[in-house]
Amino acid sequence: MEISFNNTKILATVGPASNSFERLQALVKEGVNAFRLNFSHGEYSEHLEVINRVRDINRQFNTSICLVQDLQGPKIRLGDVVGGGVEIKEGQRIQLVCDGSVSTQNRLSTIYEGLANDVNPGDMILLDDGKLELKVISTDKHMTVEAEVVYGGIVKPRKGINLPDSNVSAPSMTEKDIQDLHFGLDNDVEWVALSFVRRLEDINEIKRIIKERGKDTRVIAKIEKPEAITNIDEIIAATDAIMVARGDLGVEVGMEKVPMIQKMLVEKSNKAGKPVIVATQMMESMIVNPRPTRAETNDVANAVIDGADCLMLSAETAVGAYPIETIRSMSLTIRMVETNADIFNKSYVLNPHSNTFYNDSLVASACYLARDTNAHAIIGMTKSGYTAFQLAKHRPKSNVFIFTENERLLTTLNLVWGVRGFYYNKFESTDATITDIKETLLEAGFIKKGDVFINTASMPMGEQKRTNMIKLSIA
C-alpha cells in the first residue's frame, strides 16, 4: 500500500463513517498517521474492534499507525428536558438545580452536583457551546443557583455547560475516565488524552496510574480551561504532549483569544520538544460538503506554519459524509505549505543546567550540520525515543529516519513531526551498523547514491545511553 507522507501528522477520529477495516485502510493510504478513539461515545466492544483493525493494518501493510484514547473528562451537562426542548428568554429569572431531574422552562437541571458550590454571584454560565448565556444572581452553595438569562434560546437535553468565571472543583478524571483508562491500558494504546486539564496534579495522577500498571502509554494534556493557561509551563513540563482543544477552550476564554493562545501553546511546546496537536473544526464544513471552505484551508495552513506536530479531525472523519476526501484535502494543504513555507530549521537556546544538555547540544548540532550540508536525511538510533523527539524539535528540512529495536516505539513516534520509524535489532559495531542502515535505506529508495546523510547514535553501540556521536556520510 503506497502511503502519503507529510512532516505534519494527521490524527483522525474514528466513528460510524470510518470504523470498517476498508475505510480505515483507505484513510491511512490518504495520509492518516494516528486514529483517535473518543471515549465520550461508544461501547468497549466497538473500540476494541477498531483497535484490532488498526493493528491488522499495521501487520498487513507494514505501517505504524498509532492509537490515541481520548478520555471524556468531567463534562458538565444538563439533564433531560421536558418535551425534548424548552425556550428561555432574555431577562427571564430561572433556577438551575443540581439534582439531575428533568428540566422545565423555569427550572433547569444539571447532572453535575458541584455546580452550586463552584459558582458565585456575577459568574457567567454558558449552555450548548455558548449559544445560551446565564448570569448568576445567587447560590445556596449546595443545590440551587438563581440566574438571569442574558442570551436566550432553546434549551436541549444533555447539552454542555461551561463555567468560564468559576473554578470547577470536579477532578480531572472521573470514575468513568479511570475505568476507561484501564481499558486503554489493557489494550496497550500508545497515547491517552486527558480532558479539561487544569494543573500539574492532573498530569501526575494519570501518570501515577499508568506507572502502577507497568505501562508506557504517553499522556496528552488537552488545554481547554483558563486554569490550564495559567499553569501552562508546569503542565508542558510534566506531560508528554499538548492538544490545543479549541472547542471548549473557545467557549471558556472567548473565541477571539484562541488564535493567539494557539500560537503561544505551539511555540512553548516546540521549545520543550513536546508534540502539539491542533484540534476542533479544522475542516468542519466537510462533514456535509466534499470540499473545504477557503477559511478552513487557511486554518490548516496556519497551524502547519505555527509549528503543529499534528492536526486533528473530529466529526469530519467520525460521522461525516466525506472522510476520505477530508484527509485528501488536509494532506494536500499540508504538503503545499511544507513545500513553500519557511517552517524548517528552528534553533533554540538550550538549558545548560539540564541533565541532558550535552546530548541535546549534540542533536542540535546534527540538525545544524544537516542544514549546512543540505543533507538528505538525519538518522537516529534510539531505545527510549528521546532522540526522535529532540530531532523533531528542531524541524530539520532533512528527512528524519529513526531506527529502534523497540517495536512499540515505532507506533508511538508516528504522532511526532517528521519522524519515520524502522524496526532494527542488528546493532553491532558503530561502522557496521551505520553501513547496514544505509543499505536498508538505499534498498527502500529513501536515499540514493550520492546523498549526504547524518547519523546520530550512542557509543558504545547497543548500550542504554543518550546520543553522543554524529557522523556525516555520503551514500
Side-chain angles (χ1 to χ4, degrees):
M1 179 171 62
E2 187 174 340
I3 298 169
S4 168
F5 186 87
N6 299 313
N7 289 304
T8 306
K9 304 296 180 69
I10 297 175
L11 170 60
T13 302
V14 181
S18 54
N19 61 9
S20 70
F21 181 91
E22 292 75 20
R23 186 56 61 89
L24 292 168
Q25 179 187 341
L27 293 174
V28 170
K29 186 175 181 180
E30 292 295 340
V32 168
N33 307 100
F35 285 112
R36 170 178 173 252
L37 306 173
N38 184 1
F39 276 71
S40 295
H41 308 285
E43 303 293 329
Y44 285 172
S45 59
E46 296 169 322
H47 291 305
L48 185 57
E49 285 181 352
V50 173
I51 291 169
N52 290 333
R53 286 168 186 160
V54 170
R55 289 180 175 153
D56 283 345
I57 288 170
N58 284 340
R59 281 190 291 269
Q60 290 185 37
F61 302 103
N62 196 31
T63 52
S64 300
I65 307 305
C66 70
L67 293 164
V68 176
Q69 178 187 29
D70 196 338
L71 302 178
Q72 178 177 283
K75 184 74 173 178
I76 304 173
R77 296 185 183 275
L78 293 165
D80 291 328
V81 179
V82 66
V86 295
E87 184 178 9
I88 59 174
K89 297 182 179 180
E90 180 181 342
Q92 176 184 346
R93 289 202 170 195
I94 63 173
Q95 284 188 334
L96 192 57
V97 294
C98 310
D99 63 3
S101 60
V102 176
S103 294
T104 62
Q105 188 174 35
N106 297 307
R107 187 176 184 275
L108 303 183
S109 173
T110 174
I111 59 175
Y112 174 51
E113 296 178 353
L115 185 139
N117 181 65
D118 291 348
V119 300
N120 294 296
D123 283 1
M124 184 190 311
I125 299 177
L126 301 175
L127 310 178
D128 196 0
D129 289 334
K131 296 183 180 71
L132 294 79
E133 180 181 331
L134 312 177
K135 183 178 180 181
V136 176
I137 298 171
S138 65
T139 173
D140 66 4
K141 289 293 179 179
H142 172 62
M143 181 63 69
T144 305
V145 175
E146 298 285 342
E148 180 180 344
V149 179
V150 179
Y151 296 109
I154 304 298
V155 179
K156 299 175 184 177
R158 305 193 67 79
K159 289 297 182 180
I161 299 174
N162 290 90
L163 307 173
D165 298 330
S166 311
N167 290 323
V168 177
S169 57
S172 187
M173 275 196 298
T174 65
E175 288 300 317
K176 169 180 162 46
D177 294 326
I178 294 171
Q179 183 178 343
D180 292 346
L181 173 61
H182 283 295
F183 171 83
L185 297 178
D186 288 341
N187 289 283
D188 293 318
V189 296
E190 286 84 10
W191 295 86
V192 58
L194 182 61
S195 295
F196 302 107
V197 169
R198 284 165 284 175
R199 57 185 73 89
L200 171 66
E201 290 76 15
D202 298 334
I203 303 299
N204 289 342
E205 175 62 13
I206 190 171
K207 287 203 162 192
R208 179 189 64 78
I209 295 172
I210 293 169
K211 185 177 181 180
E212 284 181 354
R213 288 291 310 276
K215 302 291 185 175
D216 63 352
T217 295
R218 313 226 179 179
V219 175
I220 301 167
K222 293 174 66 177
I223 306 302
E224 46 198 334
K225 299 287 291 181
E227 300 99 305
I229 303 302
T230 301
N231 300 318
I232 193 60
D233 289 333
E234 65 181 28
I235 289 172
I236 290 176
T239 193
D240 300 303
I242 287 289
M243 182 187 293
V244 189
R246 303 183 302 182
D248 278 292
L249 181 63
V251 177
E252 292 276 348
V253 305
M255 63 184 70
E256 72 280 357
K257 296 180 182 178
V258 171
M260 295 312 297
I261 290 175
Q262 174 177 314
K263 291 178 185 298
M264 177 270 290
L265 292 173
V266 171
E267 182 180 11
K268 283 180 176 289
S269 298
N270 286 169
K271 286 182 178 179
K274 304 289 179 77
V276 55
I277 303 162
V278 175
T280 316
Q281 294 183 331
M282 300 222 73
M283 305 190 101
E284 184 90 348
S285 72
M286 292 193 74
I287 296 171
V288 295
N289 296 314
R291 291 181 179 83
T293 66
R294 276 67 171 169
E296 288 165 344
T297 302
N298 272 275
D299 185 34
V300 170
N302 278 309
V304 176
I305 293 168
D306 285 347
D309 285 72
C310 184
L311 309 182
M312 191 182 101
L313 295 159
S314 300
E316 300 96 327
T317 54
V319 297
Y322 301 98
I324 293 172
E325 290 83 355
T326 300
I327 300 302
R328 188 176 299 145
S329 294
M330 180 172 272
S331 291
L332 286 171
T333 302
I334 291 170
R335 193 172 306 122
M336 182 60 67
V337 174
E338 291 182 347
T339 301
N340 294 284
D342 183 17
I343 62 172
F344 300 99
N345 298 321
K346 294 186 177 183
S347 59
Y348 301 100
V349 176
L350 303 178
N351 177 12
H353 304 294
S354 167
N355 59 7
T356 60
F357 173 68
Y358 296 119
N359 314 101
D360 296 346
S361 298
L362 187 140
V363 171
S365 297
C367 293
Y368 302 149
L369 180 61
R371 176 199 64 197
D372 294 342
T373 60
N374 197 28
H376 183 77
I378 303 175
I379 299 165
M381 287 171 266
T382 183
K383 291 183 179 179
S384 68
Y386 184 81
T387 296
F389 285 93
Q390 286 298 305
L391 286 170
K393 167 180 176 174
H394 294 280
R395 298 296 194 261
K397 199 165 189 177
S398 311
N399 292 321
V400 177
F401 300 129
I402 296 296
F403 286 76
T404 181
E405 61 185 353
N406 181 351
E407 288 190 81
R408 178 171 165 79
L409 186 61
L410 295 175
T411 45
T412 300
L413 292 176
N414 221 39
L415 203 67
V416 182
W417 187 96
V419 171
R420 273 178 270 196
F422 300 83
Y423 179 71
Y424 188 84
N425 64 352
K426 298 183 289 184
F427 297 101
E428 300 175 16
S429 69
T430 303
D431 288 340
T433 299
I434 288 174
T435 299
D436 191 36
I437 286 175
K438 178 188 73 173
E439 294 302 323
T440 298
L441 293 173
L442 281 169
E443 185 177 339
F446 289 114
I447 60 174
K448 61 183 186 299
K449 289 292 185 182
D451 283 344
V452 174
F453 62 96
I454 311 296
N455 280 98
T456 67
S458 65
M459 295 177 63
M461 187 66 67
E463 291 192 10
Q464 191 74 294
K465 292 184 177 180
R466 297 281 190 203
T467 297
N468 60 12
M469 183 276 294
I470 306 174
K471 181 179 181 180
L472 183 148
S473 304
I474 300 176

